[in-house]
Each structure stands twice: as structure tokens, then as C-alpha cells.
Amino acid sequence: MKLALAQIAVEGGDVAANVDRATDAIESAAARGADLVALPEIFNVGYFAFETYQRNAESLTGPTLTRISDLADEHDIAVLAGSIVEDLSLTDGETPAEEGLSNTSVFFDRDGRRQAVYRKHHLFGYESAEAELLVPGESLGIAEFEGVTVGMTTCYDLRFPELYRDLAEEGATLLLVPSAWPYPRVEHWNVLAQARAIENQCFLAAINGSGSYEDATLIGRSTVYDPWGTLLASTGDDPELVVRDIDPTRVEQVREEFPAWHDRRR
């Protein structure tokens, strides 16, 4: 599988420009032969533009996700649109609450069909308004894509290993983490992502944005780890498209070679 991470520049509140950059990244990933491309957290609104969440919130069939769906179909590429601010009152079914806003990722297959929806479980409250503005999700995000079970999480979720163990126990072997991770917590980003890959013996790809908004600057550093915890790809803090081949059979090879996964006792 050829996996692409779209570390795009995200301007707070400028939805049109951000979606245009996401479009360019998807088209570039498809041109480079990627099977799956993943976008950062709240890539259309900008994570730290909290004051714009309400007016820019959309449904699962709103303009941003409709455009992403159309691009997936047009370019024959799966897309993890991770994530947007979803207005739950506009979305029928699959909702954890009748109203409120959610940090929502959607997985589209090559035909632009919605395969899975994930609403961020762990809402960030430290120097952030996310926990005040949004409603947490309750369900696991799992998508089946061409023989690979993909587990969906978001940013702050990285600090909660039990979520990743739940996904791995459900069969996920590729864990995707759209993020808006800021300075100064670079060491946490590196260590937590690698640890989630090692302890679950899965591939893990963390997709961050690039850019600044008021006092927050994203660290970039989108990364891919293999099931042994080996770093396969990484970026700096500038916008970049990372394309990397991953071998799904590597998961079982590592688990057979070093059987920590099979030696678990509950």
C-alpha cells in the first residue's frame, strides 16, 4: 500500500483556502500513485480558530466533505478527511448527541463512499477551548480498505493507550492520527506515536498540520512508524506531502518474530 500524509498549511478560519490546499494535496498524492491520503485535524477551519467553530461547522454531507468525496472518486484514491467541525444537529444518524459540535473524521474509499466516521474521544482542555465547545465521540473508528483494517484516532487521543489497544483488538493494523499538535511538546509527539506503534505492533501514521494561529504554532513532523517502532518517514515543520510504501504483511511478521502481542494477559 502506498500511503500519503498531507501536511498542509492551515490558516485559522480561512476555510476556502484550506480546502483548496487539501484539494491540491489529494491531487498530488493521486498523481504520485498513493492508494490512501490522510489530512490533518480540523484542516478546513484550523484547530485553534475556536471562535469560528460554530459558524464554520458542517454536516457529514456539507460542502467540505462533499468536495473530498468527489475528489476521492475522481482520482481513484481513498481519503481520510481528518477532521472537520461537525454540527451534530445537521447530521442524521450515527450521532452521539442530538445537538452540539464534534471533531469528526471521515474515511472515504476510492469511489468517494463514506466507509467510517470517527468523532474524537478525548477533548483537549489544557490551554484549549476544545473541551468547552465540542461533544466527545463514543464509538471506535474502523474502516476496511483493500484488505487492511484502519483505526481512526485524533491528536490528543495519542495520550490514551487504551483506545489504541481497543482498535488493535478489533483488528486494526494501520492506525491513523490526524493532528494539530503545537510547540513546545515535540518530544511528547515523537515518543507517544512511536509507543502506540510498538505496544500494538501496528503501523502508525501521525498527520500534523503546518502554520501558526495567534500564539499557537504547529510542529509539523508528520511521521510513519512500522510495527517494530522503526521510523519510516518524517517531515519538518513546513508543508510537505509524504508518500511511503507500507507492507501490511509486516504486522504479522513482527508479531511472529517478537510475540508480545500474542503473550498478552488480560
Side-chain angles (χ1 to χ4, degrees):
M1 174 191 290
K2 195 176 290 291
L3 173 66
L5 312 184
Q7 182 173 295
I8 62 173
V10 181
E11 296 182 23
D14 194 343
V15 174
N18 291 332
V19 174
D20 283 346
R21 280 188 282 270
T23 296
D24 291 343
I26 292 168
E27 292 175 342
S28 296
R32 292 175 61 178
D35 300 297
L36 166 62
V37 58
L39 299 168
E41 180 181 20
I42 309 191
F43 67 91
N44 62 338
V45 176
Y47 176 83
F48 291 97
F50 300 119
E51 73 281 3
T52 76
Y53 275 19
Q54 184 65 60
R55 71 172 179 267
N56 288 319
E58 302 180 20
S59 73
L60 296 183
T61 55
T64 295
L65 294 181
T66 296
R67 186 166 176 182
I68 300 301
S69 171
D70 290 344
L71 286 164
D73 183 31
E74 178 183 354
H75 296 285
D76 189 35
I77 186 172
V79 182
L80 175 65
S83 55
I84 69 162
V85 179
E86 179 193 4
D87 185 340
L88 297 171
S89 68
L90 301 177
T91 299
D92 294 329
E94 303 181 59
T95 57
E98 292 184 358
E99 59 184 17
L101 305 179
S102 175
N103 186 335
T104 302
S105 298
V106 179
F107 190 101
F108 295 100
D109 66 16
R110 291 182 187 271
D111 295 320
R113 293 176 299 209
R114 192 170 73 219
Q115 294 297 323
V117 175
Y118 173 69
R119 297 179 174 93
K120 187 176 181 181
H121 281 201
H122 302 96
L123 302 180
F124 196 47
Y126 174 76
E127 297 182 352
S128 166
E130 182 183 38
E132 300 173 9
L133 296 174
L134 305 185
V135 175
E138 302 292 342
S139 302
L140 294 179
I142 297 178
E144 298 296 335
F145 176 64
E146 299 182 354
V148 177
T149 302
V150 180
M152 302 156 61
T153 66
T154 309
C155 201
Y156 191 44
D157 284 334
L158 268 176
R159 295 183 180 274
F160 302 91
E162 59 274 13
L163 174 60
Y164 293 83
R165 182 51 53 91
D166 288 345
L167 288 167
E169 288 185 337
E170 290 296 321
T173 55
L174 170 60
L175 304 169
L176 299 180
V177 196
S179 301
W181 201 282
Y183 284 99
R185 295 178 289 278
V186 177
E187 292 81 4
H188 296 193
W189 170 261
N190 293 334
V191 170
L192 292 169
Q194 186 178 37
R196 301 296 85 85
I198 291 171
E199 67 199 6
N200 293 296
Q201 296 184 301
C202 293
F203 285 98
L204 185 141
I207 311 93
N208 206 19
S210 177
S212 300
Y213 186 76
E214 295 185 347
D215 295 331
T217 299
L218 302 178
I219 67 171
R221 290 173 171 77
S222 297
T223 56
V224 183
Y225 291 97
D226 80 355
W228 191 253
T230 301
L231 181 64
L232 301 181
S234 184
T235 69
D237 55 7
D238 294 326
E240 187 173 347
L241 179 68
V242 178
V243 181
R244 177 73 196 198
D245 286 307
I246 63 172
D247 178 5
T249 66
R250 177 69 175 149
V251 173
E252 196 53 42
Q253 290 172 357
V254 169
R255 291 178 178 181
E256 291 296 331
E257 176 185 349
F258 189 82
W261 179 256
H262 302 294
D263 289 342
R264 292 169 300 134
R265 296 183 65 193
R266 296 176 178 80

